[in-house]
Amino acid sequence: MPPKKKGKKTKAETEADKIAEAAAAEAKLVEDAKNAEEAVLLAEQEAKRIEELRKSSRVDELDRLKQSLEDMSEEIALRHTKQESKKKQEEDGREWDQFLACSSQPRINDGDLNTYITETVESNMTTLNAACECFVATEAIIEDVSKQLIRTRGEASFRKVAANRIEDFIPQLRNMCLEKLDNVTANILQHSDNYFINEEKEIRIAEGVDGLKIAMWVNLYKKSFRYKTLDFESSLKMKVEIPKPLAMADVALRVIQFPYSQISSRFGNDDLVLGGVLQIDVVSLPPISKIVKGWVMRPITEASEQLHKNNYPIGSADGVVTTIAPPLK
């Protein structure tokens, strides 16, 4: 006999099936949530176990390093003692060599360097040769300061604050030399009548020591203009062309060739300048002295002791050139 066809489900049976399906879906969600919670718990337990292992490993490593440091403490102390002894011997050797050479250079420490700067500032220099010798002596001190900085920064007990304090003396020393040179220049201009070299009442002074070259030209009495070349070739290997605006103005010309870059240190620039720096200063003249009844009358003004530097072209504002002038070279 053929099977009987199933009859259509009743409404009650359909509702029962829906309830059963909803219950099964809810049971599955509860089971999935439980499984997820167990997975999270297992992950947290594993992370905690790994962190504890890591802490234990770090503690063991720190204990090992501490024990190693304790074992090496005597050797470290011995090395430090030897290093300090060697440093003291080197310093004593340098001081002894300085004593044998009858050198007046100060030791590289705050007290001696401050004393050197104070004594140099208070000293009375009146010639370019004395200023040049001051430059040379000061550059030797700066070289010692640089060597001391290199040695200090290579030591295990390097103290940055102390090293920076010593390094600050380098610009102080160079600025001191520039100020002394300005004072000497002002003194020469004040007593310019003692430096005439010819009947034209023209002053030419040249000095050069160990790479530092200084040339000065002063024309106290104007005359008909012509381009003029100042020849310092024999003494300084230098020539300077005087343009018309300067030849007819009440100014003096000072040319300095430095063996180092005095500009970089003044403006905090560490770029290295090769071959030295050529600096040309156009300075104002003080009132000219007069002879009255055999007496030399020298007016004392601010320009007698303090050098006044001008811009070029004469009369131009700082950094602003409003007129075209021949080059100064």
Side-chain angles (χ1 to χ4, degrees):
M1 279 180 80
K4 294 182 179 180
K5 293 183 178 179
K6 292 183 179 180
K8 187 176 181 181
K9 290 184 178 181
T10 64
K11 185 175 181 181
E13 290 175 339
T14 302
E15 286 292 331
D17 290 342
K18 288 182 179 180
I19 293 172
E21 290 176 358
E26 185 177 356
K28 188 176 184 305
L29 289 175
V30 171
E31 183 67 21
D32 290 343
K34 183 178 180 181
N35 291 337
E37 185 177 352
E38 290 178 353
V40 170
L41 182 61
L42 289 174
E44 291 177 350
Q45 292 176 349
E46 181 65 15
K48 184 177 181 181
R49 185 183 67 83
I50 293 173
E51 182 63 23
E52 289 177 351
L53 288 174
R54 188 176 300 167
K55 288 182 179 179
S56 176
S57 176
R58 284 201 295 264
V59 170
D60 293 342
E61 180 67 15
L62 288 174
D63 290 340
R64 187 185 66 80
L65 292 175
K66 184 178 179 180
Q67 185 61 41
S68 177
L69 181 61
E70 291 176 356
D71 295 340
M72 295 181 62
S73 58
E74 293 184 3
E75 183 179 354
I76 293 173
L78 181 61
R79 288 183 179 179
H80 180 72
T81 302
K82 288 182 178 179
Q83 184 180 19
E84 291 297 322
S85 177
K86 182 179 179 181
K87 180 180 177 182
K88 182 68 168 55
Q89 290 177 358
E90 291 176 351
E91 290 179 353
D92 291 343
R94 286 193 295 270
E95 290 183 6
W96 180 247
D97 292 339
Q98 186 176 354
F99 174 76
L100 292 178
C102 297
S103 174
S104 60
Q105 286 188 208
R107 291 176 296 178
I108 308 305
N109 58 59
D110 292 5
D112 285 9
L113 290 175
N114 279 320
T115 300
Y116 174 79
I117 292 175
T118 301
E119 291 178 349
T120 304
V121 169
E122 294 177 352
S123 64
N124 183 26
M125 295 183 189
T126 58
T127 65
L128 284 182
N129 182 264
C132 288
E133 294 295 338
C134 176
F135 263 93
V136 173
T138 304
E139 280 301 308
I141 296 171
I142 291 174
E143 184 177 356
D144 289 345
V145 171
S146 300
K147 291 179 180 178
Q148 178 69 17
L149 286 171
I150 293 173
R151 287 193 295 267
T152 302
R153 287 170 175 163
E155 295 173 356
S157 58
F158 167 57
R159 292 181 297 172
K160 185 175 181 180
V161 175
N164 289 342
R165 190 170 62 250
I166 293 296
E167 188 176 16
D168 289 341
F169 278 102
I170 295 178
Q172 291 182 43
L173 290 166
R174 284 181 171 160
N175 290 337
M176 174 198 69
C177 288
L178 292 173
E179 290 176 3
K180 294 302 292 184
L181 179 57
D182 287 349
N183 293 339
V184 169
T185 303
N187 181 77
I188 291 174
L189 296 178
Q190 178 69 12
H191 300 81
S192 56
D193 55 300
N194 296 332
Y195 294 89
F196 291 145
I197 61 171
N198 52 37
E199 295 180 355
E200 298 176 348
K201 294 190 176 181
E202 180 185 48
I203 299 173
R204 293 191 198 183
I205 305 174
E207 288 288 346
V209 180
D210 289 352
L212 176 69
K213 301 177 181 180
I214 305 176
M216 282 186 61
W217 172 81
V218 186
N219 186 15
L220 297 177
Y221 297 90
K222 319 301 180 296
K223 47 187 176 296
S224 58
F225 169 75
R226 59 187 176 88
Y227 265 89
K228 187 168 187 176
T229 300
L230 302 179
D231 191 351
F232 299 99
E233 189 71 24
S234 59
S235 55
L236 303 180
K237 299 186 182 302
M238 181 189 302
K239 290 184 178 181
V240 183
E241 291 186 2
I242 305 299
K244 183 176 181 178
L246 294 185
M248 306 303 293
D250 292 326
V251 295
L253 191 69
R254 184 181 66 178
V255 182
I256 311 173
Q257 183 176 2
F258 295 92
Y260 59 85
S261 173
Q262 89 285 11
I263 300 298
S264 300
S265 60
R266 267 193 269 174
F267 294 95
N269 190 339
D270 295 330
D271 294 340
L272 178 62
V273 178
L274 300 179
V277 175
L278 190 67
Q279 175 177 317
I280 302 177
D281 296 317
V282 180
V283 299
S284 298
L285 295 178
I288 301 175
S289 62
K290 299 179 180 179
I291 299 178
V292 180
K293 297 182 179 180
W295 291 84
V296 179
M297 310 295 289
R298 300 186 190 279
I300 303 300
T301 64
E302 183 180 354
S304 302
E305 298 179 354
Q306 186 175 358
L307 200 65
H308 177 70
K309 300 177 184 179
N310 298 284
N311 297 304
Y312 183 78
I314 301 296
S316 60
D318 291 341
V320 179
V321 178
T322 56
T323 59
I324 300 175
L328 179 58
K329 56 185 179 178

